[in-house]
């Protein structure tokens, strides 16, 4: 099923169901991009982007930081949500009200009316950066969806089933796209193919992805 939110021309947002429970709101974040970027500047000043280590000791290609009551970290002990940024030893920056509003509005539009995120992970991809196939299962309550906002350079997102070797589908995520993953889609394997260098007029030579979660 594929229907438009507004009966207008091509840059208007439209809704696509990728998988039962996985809703792609094309261009939904476009009106909010400048506000989001200003908020990100302030977050980066408090908790800078950095490369974390995998439990195996390798450096993760994607740079990340977090805002909200807890942030996702990774080190030799594994992945977990913490109330303090291990780099600054201070609390993560609070989640901007505009962030929360965008995420909960997108969730509501997708059928998840009680989404209450306590964490937003901010991922930055430079050209040639990829994210290997994985599941997001470090959160306490899988009935809460995950909402992801893509900004800047496009990326090919891949998603499969509940088994690592299930058949994969691909979808390009573009500037302003918002994806809501809930219900039967919440535990699907997913990843991001190597991002191509394709500078974006407003965001530059990077792709930024915000993922909103209920972690605790
Ligand atoms: C499907 N990030 O941070 S966002 C991640 O573009 C992550 O940075 C990717 O996967 C990125 O964990 C993908 C889309 C996404 C996020 C969470 C999901 C898809 C998901 C959770 C379950 C299923
Ligand atoms: Fe993920």
């Amino acid at each position: 099923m594929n229907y438009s939110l507004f009966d207008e021309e091509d840059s208007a947002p439209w809704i696509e169901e990728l998988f039962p429970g996985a809703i792609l709101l094309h261009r939904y974040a476009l009106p909010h991009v400048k506000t989001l970027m200003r908020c990100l500047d302030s977050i980066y000043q408090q908790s800078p982007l950095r490369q974390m280590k995998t439990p195996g000791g390798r450096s993760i290609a994607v740079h990340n930081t977090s805002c909200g009551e807890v942030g996702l970290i990774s080190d030799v002990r594994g992945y977990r949500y913490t109330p303090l940024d291990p780099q600054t030893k201070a609390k993560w920056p609070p989640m901007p009200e505009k962030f929360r509003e965008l995420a909960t509005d997108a969730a509501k539009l997708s059928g998840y009316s009680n989404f209450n995120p306590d964490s937003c992970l901010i991922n930055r991809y430079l050209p040639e950066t990829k994210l290997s196939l994985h599941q997001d299962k470090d959160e306490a309550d899988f009935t809460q969806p995950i909402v992801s906002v893509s900004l800047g350079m496009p990326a090919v997102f891949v998603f499969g089933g509940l088994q690592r070797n299930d058949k994969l589908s691909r979808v390009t995520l573009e500037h302003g796209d918002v994806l809501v993953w809930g219900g039967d889609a919440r535990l699907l394997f997913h990843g991001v193919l190597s991002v191509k260098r394709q500078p974006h007029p407003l965001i530059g030579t990077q792709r930024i992805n915000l993922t909103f979660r209920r972690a605790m």
Side-chain angles (χ1 to χ4, degrees):
M1 188 67 149
N2 210 335
Y3 60 97
S4 186
L5 282 175
F6 305 106
D7 47 0
E8 271 164 24
E9 60 296 5
D10 36 5
S11 72
W14 76 98
I15 298 184
E16 185 181 3
E17 186 166 46
L18 298 179
F19 186 95
I23 314 295
L24 175 48
L25 305 172
H26 291 269
R27 315 288 188 270
Y28 185 73
L30 276 190
H32 310 289
V33 168
K34 286 192 173 135
T35 308
L36 297 178
M37 294 308 288
R38 270 197 297 273
C39 291
L40 283 175
D41 276 340
S42 152
I43 290 167
Y44 294 164
Q45 284 177 24
Q46 300 166 70
S47 277
L49 287 165
R50 81 293 301 267
Q51 278 175 294
M52 292 183 174
K53 299 281 184 200
T54 66
R58 294 159 60 103
S59 216
I60 296 175
V62 178
H63 288 67
N64 72 46
T65 185
S66 285
C67 64
E69 287 148 56
V70 292
L72 183 61
I73 69 156
S74 166
D75 60 19
V76 286
R77 292 162 50 205
Y79 290 85
R80 64 199 174 279
Y81 287 94
T82 64
L84 299 185
D85 175 347
Q87 187 170 303
T88 64
K89 301 179 173 63
K91 286 183 182 173
W92 296 101
M95 187 185 298
E97 207 44 51
K98 293 291 278 187
F99 275 35
R100 166 182 300 281
E101 209 171 80
L102 176 63
T104 56
D105 284 353
K108 197 164 290 174
L109 195 54
S110 306
Y112 305 100
S113 55
N114 61 353
F115 182 43
N116 185 14
D118 57 5
S119 184
C120 173
L121 176 70
I122 299 151
N123 285 330
R124 186 188 64 186
Y125 297 75
L126 296 174
E128 321 304 332
T129 307
K130 68 179 172 101
L131 183 67
S132 310
L133 206 64
H134 67 280
Q135 288 174 298
D136 288 24
K137 37 176 200 186
D138 295 301
E139 299 75 27
D141 180 2
F142 299 143
T143 70
Q144 289 270 303
I146 289 183
V147 174
S148 113
V149 178
S150 292
L151 300 171
M153 301 197 296
V156 179
F157 177 75
V158 288
F159 63 96
L162 295 173
Q163 240 61 55
R164 179 174 288 280
N165 48 16
D166 285 341
K167 183 180 170 294
L168 299 176
S169 303
R170 296 176 172 209
V171 62
T172 300
L173 297 182
E174 294 186 74
H175 180 64
D177 288 354
V178 178
L179 256 168
V180 180
W181 296 86
D184 289 345
R186 176 61 181 79
L187 289 172
L188 296 184
F189 273 92
H190 60 277
V192 178
L193 300 188
S194 181
V195 173
K196 285 209 186 85
R197 180 187 191 88
Q198 217 173 315
H200 184 278
L202 199 65
I203 312 298
T205 311
Q206 59 175 337
R207 169 175 186 262
I208 301 169
N209 186 266
L210 314 177
T211 48
F212 293 89
R213 303 134 188 270
R214 181 78 204 178
M216 307 303 278

